[in-house]
Amino acid sequence: MTHPLSDRINSLPISQTLAMAAKARELKEQGIDIISLSLGEPDFNTPGFIKDAAIEAINQDYNSYTPVDGYVELKQAICTKFKRDNDLIYKPNQIVVSTGAKQSIANIAQVLLNPGDEVLLPAPYWVSYSAIATLCEANFVEIPSSIDDDFKITPSQLEAAITTKTKMVFFNSPNNPSGSIYSEKEYRALANVLENYPQIYILSDEIYEHINYGVKPFSFAAIKSMYERTITVNGLAKAFAMTGWRIGYLGAPHWIAKACTKMQGQITSGTNCIAQRAAITAVLAPVEKVQYMVDEFKARRDIVLDLLGNIDGFKLNIPEGAFYVFPDISAFFGKTINGVRIENANDFSLFLLEKANVASVTGDAFGAPNCIRLSYAASELILREAIKRIKRALS
Ligand code: GLU
């Protein structure tokens, strides 16, 4: 039976990261020993000093509706952070706090995109970008890259993708899923192209900013000519192990921030009061306080690269940030392994789930059909076991 759902929801693809995580959870509940490397979620606990701030907020009776765009103290703290880490000057009226960076991105798309507008997505890109554009009836245009280019696009590729309908481009560095980081020089070269197209707005998703292994990410809005048309998105989930607290934020020209506040005011209102009070402490904390997680992620990355590098058919590059590896596994296409025919990355990801009991996410969902994503936000023991299983299933 077909239910009378809207065309909008019927045309929306399901989030592949969340779907795979749900599938892994379901199989585990059935008693199957699944290792899930599907979801991008730190396996650390939220640091104690942030939890203490939340407990204090509860005891101080923070329980009422919050201002739609966030507590002013939090917005001030975010301005301090932008200045400290990114050399960006924002005033509190340019900041909007949301229920996760995902909502910040959805707000921006909703307030800037009209049906038929084009959104450029340098691929690989995070799964929800394309879906969020689709929800606005905009068309997304992928700009492909490959592992040989370190998954980065060039200025001439960007220029070639621009049409009279282009309204936005979404940048994400450090990148989910590839872990690549655009250098300041590379971003400036892309900005040189965009300078000729004043109608294009830039969404710079910097959620993995602090998870970098030595290359300090550069903020797109720090390029003077881009500041007035760049929206900088960030959040607490990844660097502070606060995925479930749902705190994201954006810095933008005031007119865009104001429109996002209007949108949010009709959909969710201000985000959770306790999480916001704790966020003030997190945002103002010296970055060194969470460096132990980054160090651990780096050690795991090196182990994963080393072990996967020993499996024939896995082509790898060195991710400079985030906590994913994104191997090109197209060498397996057209082969039958362990009785299973592999034609594409979806087949390969399914093969890993069924024959190795390891959950990954197909590169297809990220606009990179030759790859799969494995998250190494898991303990060394689990990672070693997962790769042992993958190797066994493939041999
Ligand atoms: N951003 C994370 C990921 O890519 C969390 C899941 C999601 O919201 O997509 O796995």
Side-chain angles (χ1 to χ4, degrees):
M1 180 191 148
T2 322
H3 296 290
L5 291 168
S6 68
D7 297 344
R8 188 177 309 108
I9 194 67
N10 283 334
S11 68
L12 192 72
I14 195 160
S15 161
Q16 285 301 324
T17 48
L18 301 185
M20 200 52 162
K23 184 152 179 96
R25 220 173 280 138
E26 195 184 298
L27 290 171
K28 268 189 202 167
E29 277 162 20
Q30 289 168 21
I32 303 170
D33 174 24
I34 297 288
I35 297 180
S36 182
L37 305 183
S38 55
L39 201 60
E41 167 156 71
D43 57 325
F44 295 98
N45 288 322
T46 304
F49 70 96
I50 302 174
K51 293 196 280 196
D52 289 345
I55 292 164
E56 200 180 309
I58 294 174
N59 289 332
Q60 285 179 354
D61 293 319
Y62 277 98
N63 42 35
S64 312
Y65 284 130
T66 60
V68 173
D69 52 348
Y71 286 122
V72 71
E73 297 93 324
L74 177 54
K75 293 193 295 170
Q76 272 157 353
I78 291 167
C79 293
T80 304
K81 175 257 171 293
F82 272 135
K83 175 81 191 70
R84 181 193 67 189
D85 299 340
N86 313 100
D87 217 7
L88 291 177
I89 307 293
Y90 287 116
K91 295 196 191 81
N93 71 3
Q94 293 178 271
I95 306 293
V96 183
V97 180
S98 297
T99 302
K102 196 182 264 185
Q103 189 185 22
S104 305
I105 296 166
N107 281 340
I108 296 158
Q110 288 286 344
V111 308
L112 284 177
L113 294 173
N114 277 319
D117 283 345
E118 285 176 1
V119 180
L120 302 182
L121 300 182
Y125 51 85
W126 178 48
V127 295
S128 291
Y129 291 167
S130 47
I132 285 170
T134 303
L135 266 182
C136 301
E137 296 175 56
N139 300 316
F140 63 90
V141 177
E142 294 176 353
I143 309 178
S145 71
S146 83
I147 198 161
D148 299 319
D149 320 313
D150 242 337
F151 295 113
K152 293 186 210 174
I153 62 154
T154 61
S156 48
Q157 279 183 291
L158 175 64
E159 180 119 46
I162 294 172
T163 72
T164 49
K165 292 191 176 145
T166 309
K167 180 76 181 278
M168 293 192 79
V169 52
F170 284 19
F171 289 128
N172 174 216
S173 167
N175 179 271
N176 173 7
S178 73
S180 297
I181 298 181
Y182 281 88
S183 67
E184 175 175 350
K185 197 168 154 223
E186 286 164 334
Y187 258 169
R188 285 193 185 276
L190 294 171
N192 280 345
V193 172
L194 293 168
E195 273 168 15
N196 300 322
Y197 302 93
Q199 76 281 11
I200 301 179
Y201 290 84
I202 300 99
L203 186 152
S204 179
D205 179 352
E206 302 178 8
I207 185 83
Y208 291 94
E209 172 189 19
H210 292 310
I211 304 174
N212 72 78
Y213 309 126
V215 184
K216 193 177 157 3
F218 183 72
S219 285
F220 206 80
I223 302 170
K224 258 205 180 86
S225 60
M226 295 292 117
Y227 178 84
E228 285 300 336
R229 48 195 176 107
T230 300
I231 304 103
T232 308
V233 174
N234 211 322
L236 302 185
K238 312 294 181 183
F240 297 94
M242 293 175 70
T243 50
W245 296 62
R246 309 309 299 136
I247 296 284
Y249 55 85
L250 62 83
H254 174 60
W255 61 275
I256 297 178
K258 197 171 149 198
C260 288
T261 304
K262 181 172 162 191
M263 173 62 62
Q264 190 160 293
Q266 291 289 23
I267 294 182
T268 54
S269 296
T271 191
N272 177 288
C273 52
I274 310 303
Q276 280 200 58
R277 298 313 298 182
I280 299 171
T281 302
V283 163
L284 292 177
V287 181
E288 294 73 46
K289 278 203 141 173
V290 287
Q291 186 61 33
Y292 64 95
M293 293 190 246
V294 181
D295 293 343
E296 182 64 34
F297 286 136
K298 181 170 189 287
R300 295 172 187 180
R301 177 202 65 174
D302 293 342
I303 290 166
V304 167
L305 287 180
D306 183 41
L307 296 176
L308 282 181
N310 282 325
I311 304 180
D312 275 349
F314 272 72
K315 187 170 171 183
L316 293 148
N317 70 331
I318 301 178
E320 296 168 312
F323 34 60
Y324 309 105
V325 283
F326 200 57
D328 181 316
I329 42 77
S330 57
F332 295 102
F333 297 174
K335 295 196 171 147
T336 302
I337 308 164
N338 230 327
V340 179
R341 184 87 186 149
I342 313 274
E343 296 293 0
N344 51 43
N346 295 344
D347 292 347
F348 192 78
S349 179
L350 211 63
F351 170 87
L352 292 187
L353 186 66
E354 284 168 1
K355 299 289 182 186
N357 285 358
V358 173
S360 59
V361 185
T362 171
D364 240 3
F366 304 94
N370 287 340
C371 301
I372 58 159
R373 189 188 80 175
L374 295 165
S375 160
Y376 53 85
S379 73
E380 181 181 332
L381 207 71
I382 291 176
L383 291 168
R384 284 185 184 279
E385 172 63 18
I387 298 171
K388 198 159 90 189
R389 289 185 190 185
I390 294 174
K391 198 167 179 173
R392 203 186 305 133
L394 287 168
S395 62

